[in-house]
Amino acid sequence: MKILILNGPNLNLLGKREPSIYGNETFNDFFEALKKKYADVELHYFQSNIEGELIDKLHEVGFTFEGIIFNAGAYTHTSVAIGDAIKGIETQVIEVHISNVYAREKFRHVSYIAPNAKGVIAGFGLQSYELALQSFL
Ligand code: CA2
């Protein structure tokens, strides 16, 4: 089973800044542990700060992979283009967030991903990604 974890802007800073909101583990450390725990799953990871690169990756895997776990970062709340890309692919997407976006500023309550996602998981720290993976499994 092929699953992509896709991270959007600024998530490359995880574990390096703002630990009170996003924790102190780097995504690479988390991802290495996840791959070991789910060794029978073909887990892929891609991060970009560039909207078009995220869209290209959705197009690249969105007809062959079994699932996409997507934290689009702040693009979640702004990107019509990413919303359209999710509408245009076949692979199901689960929207994830590390923080509970509904307990934060109003602009974070809006999502262009959610209307076309299988579901949304927010507020469980990096465990949000593992919960999404378990849902696909
Ligand atoms: O809670 C989440 O996962 C978010 O998608 C994170 C985004 C934010 O804009 C969304 O509203 C919610 C921000 C990612 C920034 O990540 C950082 C990590 C460490 C240090 C600085 C930024």
Side-chain angles (χ1 to χ4, degrees):
M1 183 181 227
K2 284 187 190 173
I3 304 282
L4 172 70
I5 296 181
L6 184 56
N7 270 347
N10 298 309
L11 287 158
N12 52 312
L13 297 177
L14 276 178
K16 295 172 189 149
R17 292 193 48 230
E18 300 208 59
S20 60
I21 305 176
Y22 300 115
N24 48 25
E25 192 174 3
T26 68
F27 199 85
N28 280 349
D29 287 350
F30 169 76
F31 185 62
E32 287 309 310
L34 198 69
K35 278 197 296 190
K36 278 198 187 116
K37 189 166 170 185
Y38 295 89
D40 49 345
V41 182
E42 201 180 308
L43 275 175
H44 294 246
Y45 174 58
F46 182 75
Q47 188 275 333
S48 177
N49 296 318
I50 300 166
E51 189 176 19
E53 286 188 0
L54 295 167
I55 292 169
D56 283 346
K57 186 52 86 172
L58 288 166
H59 293 171
E60 183 188 317
V61 309
F63 298 89
T64 50
F65 278 37
E66 275 74 38
I68 299 170
I69 298 166
F70 192 11
N71 186 347
Y75 285 145
T76 305
H77 320 301
T78 61
S79 180
V80 174
I82 289 177
D84 284 348
I86 291 169
K87 225 179 281 177
I89 61 175
E90 282 171 5
T91 303
Q92 284 194 312
V93 171
I94 298 180
E95 174 183 338
V96 299
H97 297 286
I98 297 162
S99 64
N100 177 0
V101 285
Y102 300 101
R104 301 182 66 190
E105 304 94 323
K106 265 244 143 69
F107 69 85
R108 295 185 205 275
H109 303 183
V110 174
S111 172
Y112 286 89
I113 316 282
N116 296 296
K118 181 173 187 238
V120 180
I121 299 171
F124 296 94
L126 290 175
Q127 205 199 342
S128 294
Y129 294 86
E130 185 174 358
L131 293 170
L133 177 59
Q134 286 171 356
S135 163
F136 278 128
L137 299 180

